[in-house]
Amino acid sequence: MEERDGLATDWQICLSDLFGREILLFPITNNPLAAQEVLEVITPDIIVLTGGNDISGRSDAVTISHKREDTERTLLSYSIATNCPVFAVCRGFQFLNNFAGGKVFPIKEHVAAVHDVFVENQNGNASIFTVNSFHNFTVPANGLSKSFQIVAQDKDGNVEAARHEYLPWLGIMWHPERTNNSEAATRWLRTAVQRLVTATEEHL
């Protein structure tokens, strides 16, 4: 299998929309040394782990990239050392969860699908958002790392969004850069991502 590095151009539009301003992206090649060299030159406002490959460690994982995983470990180690926020999407959230000691499990009928997620709001009630789905693996509640708190789930109890207890890490299972997400889901995510960065800046 030929390995390639790439980033969908939709991410530029998506992140600029979520932050409410033009975002300058620095895509990092899947090479830990290259990632370290980039981080010595720039100070990122946020690290984004995108979708893609399966996570290693499972016999049913197919599209594994050890170079990518080594690179993302380097980025997460940087985040821990500097308190840099991390926003992880789909496979990125799965990797974030595994990195923190959690597990993923296979799931069916979640590729090119649409479903509802339930998000608990500040008054304790649940808001329902419609989101897309493009994954063969999921994070069930009993597979979530103990260092994460559940923010959103689907009707079957799979985790759709989670925050780390003390690190500025947010993970979601849907793809904000793709279509079929409700406007309510996009508004919620805008607020969540902006709060992630703002809270980090306030603690500097």
Side-chain angles (χ1 to χ4, degrees), residues 6 32-33 35 58 60 84 110 135 145-146 153 177:
L33 181 58
R58 294 189 56 93
D60 48 3
C84 179
H110 273 253
H135 52 269
S145 165
K146 293 181 179 180
Q153 292 179 278
E177 82 283 12

Side-chain angles (χ1 to χ4, degrees), residues 1-7 28-30 53 65 67-68:
M1 182 179 69
E2 183 182 34
E3 289 193 81
R4 299 183 181 184
D5 293 331
L7 183 68
I28 295 179
T29 185
N30 289 318
N53 310 81
S65 172
K67 289 181 180 179
R68 178 174 184 174

Side-chain angles (χ1 to χ4, degrees), residues 47-62:
I47 293 169
V48 180
L49 304 184
T50 61
N53 310 81
D54 295 339
I55 306 299
S56 64
R58 294 189 56 93
S59 59
D60 48 3
V62 179

Side-chain angles (χ1 to χ4, degrees), residues 84-142:
C84 179
V86 174
F87 175 42
V89 170
C90 196
R91 181 257 181 215
F93 174 37
Q94 296 172 39
F95 183 80
L96 194 67
N97 182 54
N98 274 29
F99 181 87
K103 297 180 180 180
V104 300
F105 294 86
I107 192 170
K108 296 180 179 180
E109 299 179 355
H110 273 253
V111 176
V114 175
H115 63 88
D116 291 338
V117 299
F118 303 85
V119 181
E120 185 173 313
N121 51 39
Q122 292 181 343
N123 59 18
N125 297 322
S127 298
I128 303 175
F129 303 148
T130 301
V131 299
N132 60 37
S133 184
F134 291 92
H135 52 269
N136 291 307
F137 292 90
T138 190
V139 179
N142 63 0

Side-chain angles (χ1 to χ4, degrees):
M1 182 179 69
E2 183 182 34
E3 289 193 81
R4 299 183 181 184
D5 293 331
L7 183 68
T9 56
D10 293 345
W11 273 108
Q12 177 70 50
I13 299 170
C14 171
L15 291 174
S16 295
D17 175 66
L18 291 178
F19 282 95
R21 58 184 172 85
E22 193 70 19
I23 295 296
L24 180 60
L25 299 182
F26 288 90
I28 295 179
T29 185
N30 289 318
N31 180 310
L33 181 58
Q36 189 61 50
E37 290 176 346
V38 169
L39 293 171
E40 289 174 358
V41 176
I42 68 169
T43 302
D45 293 321
I46 192 169
I47 293 169
V48 180
L49 304 184
T50 61
N53 310 81
D54 295 339
I55 306 299
S56 64
R58 294 189 56 93
S59 59
D60 48 3
V62 179
T63 58
I64 298 169
S65 172
H66 293 291
K67 289 181 180 179
R68 178 174 184 174
E69 294 188 2
D70 289 343
T71 301
E72 290 177 333
R73 289 188 189 95
T74 297
L75 295 172
L76 292 178
S77 296
Y78 172 87
S79 168
I80 293 171
T82 63
N83 208 41
C84 179
V86 174
F87 175 42
V89 170
C90 196
R91 181 257 181 215
F93 174 37
Q94 296 172 39
F95 183 80
L96 194 67
N97 182 54
N98 274 29
F99 181 87
K103 297 180 180 180
V104 300
F105 294 86
I107 192 170
K108 296 180 179 180
E109 299 179 355
H110 273 253
V111 176
V114 175
H115 63 88
D116 291 338
V117 299
F118 303 85
V119 181
E120 185 173 313
N121 51 39
Q122 292 181 343
N123 59 18
N125 297 322
S127 298
I128 303 175
F129 303 148
T130 301
V131 299
N132 60 37
S133 184
F134 291 92
H135 52 269
N136 291 307
F137 292 90
T138 190
V139 179
N142 63 0
L144 185 66
S145 165
K146 293 181 179 180
S147 59
F148 278 88
Q149 300 172 336
I150 296 174
V151 176
Q153 292 179 278
D154 68 11
K155 64 180 178 60
D156 298 315
N158 297 301
V159 181
E160 288 287 328
R163 289 191 183 92
H164 196 277
E165 287 184 323
Y166 57 88
L167 292 170
W169 292 358
L170 171 67
I172 64 171
M173 280 302 296
W174 68 91
H175 283 257
E177 82 283 12
R178 297 181 183 178
T179 59
N180 294 332
N181 297 310
S182 67
E183 180 55 35
T186 301
R187 287 196 304 268
W188 176 86
L189 188 57
R190 275 194 208 107
T191 300
V193 171
Q194 291 177 16
R195 281 179 178 171
L196 188 71
V197 175
T198 302
T200 304
E201 292 172 345
E202 290 175 350
H203 284 83
L204 292 178

